[in-house]
Amino acid sequence: MREPSALHFSRNHAVSAVDIVTPDELPAALRVLGLSPPQPVLVLVGGADGLGPERAQRLRSLFRDVIAPLLDRLGAAVIDGGTDSGVMALMGQARTEVGAGFPLIGVAARGTVKLPADPPEPDQQRTALEPNHTHFLLVPGDRWGDESPWISDTASALGDRAAAASLVAGGGKVTLLDVEHSLSAGRRTLLLVGSGRTADRLADALRLGKLPALGILEERAELLQPIVLAEAERALPALLQSLYFG
């Protein structure tokens, strides 16, 4: 594990980051970032592509008006992929807009992301980090999805024996991989129905009893819980309160 570094997004805004190589470095990395397990954890995965204006606005409002204030009240940390895109950007923006104080930890494969000090890339193959996150863990890998097991392991390490859940909004193939890791770790996995793509397809497959046989999706199907996007403002607070504190 390298010493923590400061990622300077602007002259007056820097975020601590740690490069790690092996999973057994996670506890030490969390400590040097000032993160103390155990605490409730929400793993956020998915994307916001392909939504119409109305659903996209509903998702933005849900993050800003419900999820960010709720996580602050519950003392939960959020772990996601850390890039300035999709639901990760929505989460970062929402946290800043409401002045929340919960840790927002981005776990990103080093070869897929562009750090603030990196030179410009003509082909833009890498994605910028989201500047409203509070901490970053940079892990090995140069393909999208390489970060997925690390996100799950970080949630397990920070949550320790505290309750944890995953929230799935939209997303593509990597999101499905994230869901499989979440289920393997035994986390309740909430599917935002109406957010599109992977979240909706999994909810439909669960409803119709058509989850892939002989795999983790079928084995841990009881951990999948659909929540209709239009009803999430009412349903999520009570659900997360129950999951984290019984």
Side-chain angles (χ1 to χ4, degrees):
M1 182 183 76
R2 299 180 185 175
E3 291 297 313
S5 60
L7 304 180
H8 293 270
F9 288 93
S10 67
R11 179 175 297 179
N12 299 315
H13 178 54
V15 178
S16 294
V18 175
D19 276 89
I20 57 177
V21 178
T22 61
D24 60 5
E25 296 175 320
L26 272 171
L30 294 174
R31 283 196 301 272
V32 301
L33 289 174
L35 299 166
S36 302
Q39 67 180 108
V41 170
L42 181 71
V43 177
L44 176 66
V45 298
D49 298 333
L51 294 178
E54 182 178 346
R55 285 200 295 178
Q57 181 56 46
R58 177 170 283 168
L59 200 59
R60 282 192 291 270
S61 298
L62 178 66
F63 276 76
R64 183 190 63 231
D65 301 336
V66 179
I67 295 178
L70 173 65
L71 294 172
D72 224 25
R73 293 197 302 272
L74 296 176
V78 178
I79 299 171
D80 63 21
T83 58
D84 197 12
S85 61
V87 294
M88 294 166 285
L90 289 180
M91 188 76 262
Q93 293 161 11
R95 182 187 181 280
T96 295
E97 287 176 18
V98 303
F102 61 83
L104 177 53
I105 306 149
V107 180
R110 183 61 179 83
T112 65
V113 294
K114 182 180 180 297
L115 305 189
D118 288 345
E121 289 186 330
D123 52 6
Q124 295 183 336
Q125 290 185 348
R126 296 181 296 167
T127 300
L129 293 174
E130 202 285 322
N132 295 294
H133 280 62
T134 61
H135 308 81
F136 288 101
L137 289 173
L138 302 176
V139 302
D142 54 14
R143 296 179 301 175
W144 296 108
D146 286 345
E147 74 282 0
S148 292
W150 293 89
I151 290 173
S152 184
D153 288 347
T154 302
S156 297
L158 184 58
D160 197 4
R161 290 171 296 279
S166 296
L167 180 65
V168 185
K173 292 181 180 179
V174 173
T175 300
L176 182 59
L177 184 61
D178 289 323
V179 169
E180 291 173 346
H181 283 291
S182 177
L183 297 178
S184 295
R187 280 190 293 276
R188 177 71 63 179
T189 301
L190 313 177
L191 308 171
L192 272 180
V193 181
S195 61
R197 304 174 69 199
T198 294
D200 284 6
R201 287 196 291 269
L202 282 175
D204 287 343
L206 181 65
R207 176 175 55 85
L208 297 171
K210 293 184 177 180
L211 291 170
L214 303 177
I216 192 66
L217 291 172
E218 183 187 48
E219 292 171 10
R220 298 289 182 90
E222 74 281 359
L223 294 175
L224 293 171
Q225 183 164 351
I227 300 175
V228 177
L229 178 58
E231 301 172 0
E233 182 175 350
R234 174 188 57 80
L236 266 179
L239 178 56
L240 289 179
Q241 175 74 38
S242 176
L243 284 176
Y244 291 150
F245 300 108

